[in-house]
Amino acid sequence: MLPDLHVHTARCGHAQGVPKDYLACARRLGLAYLGFADHLPLYWLPPEERDRGLAMPEEELPGYVEEVLSLKGRVGGVAVALGIEADYIPGFEERLRKLLSKHPFDYVLGAVHFIDGWGFDNPACLEGYAAWKVDDLYARYFELVLQAVRSGLFDVLAHPDLVKKFGYRPGTDVRGLYEEVAGAMAGASVCVEVNTAGLRVPAQEIYPSLEFLKACRRHGVPAAVGSDAHHPGHVAWAWPLAREWLLAAGYRRVVFFEERKPRFLEIT
Ligand code: ZN
Ligand code: FE
Ligand code: FE
Ligand code: ZN
């Protein structure tokens, strides 16, 4: 079974279940590796402006870390890893670096969920799409993704084409953007995440698209897999499709992490 590097917990304010519940599901499914990657606190905002429904408050971060660490090595058959999903916000790189350095994360997923302050993947912020031409939106999104990749802060780029979440598709050929991002990932040693949450939203497609994933493969970028579970029942979501996607792109192994070092597992 492919490792799952991307599960959330109730601490983030919009997911259900505690770490033990996710682990119980992983165990039942026979996963060898389960990585928690809950949302990092909204570090770039003043505390009073941080939406409790988007991420845990900063004072809960040590509790999250301890709770996940307490499960490490305790449960037969499943290796538990401590990850985190961190937003990339230009101009706040040092603040993020400092926050990440306080905890012994096995890996950091980098995510672009905000475009110039707009939470474009938040169902409550859909009216923001009216202000954009889709092609311009894609260009701006991938500009931020490139900055995130080059920041040196992240091990994995989470849901690389999240901008398609609500089904807005570009009118122009964006393969040049995929190519540029894939090349930057190779240059910065950032892995790509194959994220099955895209199948649970209007996009109805794994992140990233097969074209994008093939570009990553051509550049030798390792691929990780995540369900982006926000409910224990989402663990290893659509794993057979993730496997097919990887194989179709030419991948024969996937990456996971221990103390920020990449390890590889053959896809069987
Ligand atoms: Zn979430
Ligand atoms: Fe995300
Ligand atoms: Fe996530
Ligand atoms: Zn996510």
Side-chain angles (χ1 to χ4, degrees):
M1 286 281 263
L2 297 170
D4 190 341
L5 277 69
H6 192 157
V7 309
H8 291 272
T9 76
R11 283 184 197 271
C12 72
H14 60 272
Q16 291 166 54
V18 297
K20 265 188 195 161
D21 303 327
Y22 287 84
L23 184 51
C25 284
R27 204 180 188 180
R28 201 158 49 238
L29 293 166
L31 291 194
Y33 181 98
L34 179 70
F36 288 88
D38 214 346
H39 297 283
L40 189 72
L42 307 179
Y43 61 90
W44 66 97
L45 295 173
E48 66 277 11
E49 287 176 29
R50 297 179 185 182
D51 185 340
R52 183 64 190 89
L54 293 182
M56 67 181 95
E58 200 155 335
E59 58 272 21
E60 277 200 33
L61 184 56
Y64 164 73
V65 168
E66 265 172 52
E67 190 174 5
V68 173
L69 290 179
S70 76
L71 296 174
K72 270 195 167 192
R74 258 227 323 227
V75 180
V78 187
V80 170
L82 174 65
I84 196 84
E85 179 176 15
D87 287 283
Y88 175 71
I89 305 291
F92 291 85
E93 291 85 351
E94 285 320 305
R95 195 175 293 189
L96 175 54
R97 196 180 308 278
K98 214 172 150 189
L99 184 53
L100 292 172
S101 73
K102 290 183 184 165
H103 301 286
F105 295 115
D106 287 302
Y107 60 91
V108 179
L109 304 183
V112 173
H113 298 117
F114 292 91
I115 294 177
D116 309 318
W118 169 44
F120 70 92
D121 81 320
N122 184 342
C125 304
L126 284 180
E127 74 286 349
Y129 281 89
W132 285 92
K133 282 190 204 149
V134 178
D135 293 342
D136 294 342
L137 176 64
Y138 270 65
R140 178 67 185 134
Y141 170 77
F142 281 110
E143 198 170 68
L144 289 166
V145 164
L146 274 173
Q147 282 181 256
V149 165
R150 291 172 179 149
S151 70
L153 289 160
F154 309 117
D155 302 295
V156 180
L157 175 63
H159 39 61
D161 56 357
L162 181 64
V163 66
K164 74 184 175 191
K165 177 171 179 178
F166 295 110
Y168 293 92
R169 299 286 184 155
T172 55
D173 189 346
V174 286
R175 279 179 295 188
L177 289 173
Y178 298 161
E179 189 60 30
E180 196 181 355
V181 174
M185 291 171 86
S189 298
V190 173
C191 301
V192 61
E193 181 194 36
V194 171
N195 180 311
T196 56
L199 297 167
R200 303 194 298 266
V201 297
Q204 289 291 301
E205 183 184 76
I206 287 175
Y207 305 111
S209 68
L210 193 53
E211 280 296 334
F212 195 166
L213 190 61
K214 283 179 176 171
C216 294
R217 177 71 196 93
R218 280 197 302 275
H219 284 272
V221 173
V225 203
S227 64
D228 216 339
H230 282 72
H231 182 284
H234 293 159
V235 171
W237 183 267
W239 247 213
L241 297 178
R243 179 179 171 276
E244 276 176 32
W245 213 239
L246 284 158
L247 293 175
Y251 282 96
R252 294 298 173 261
R253 56 182 200 167
V254 290
V255 68
F256 59 98
F257 296 85
E258 285 167 7
E259 297 177 346
R260 305 205 71 167
K261 287 188 201 66
R263 308 269 185 239
F264 295 92
L265 182 75
E266 298 299 314
I267 302 170
T268 52

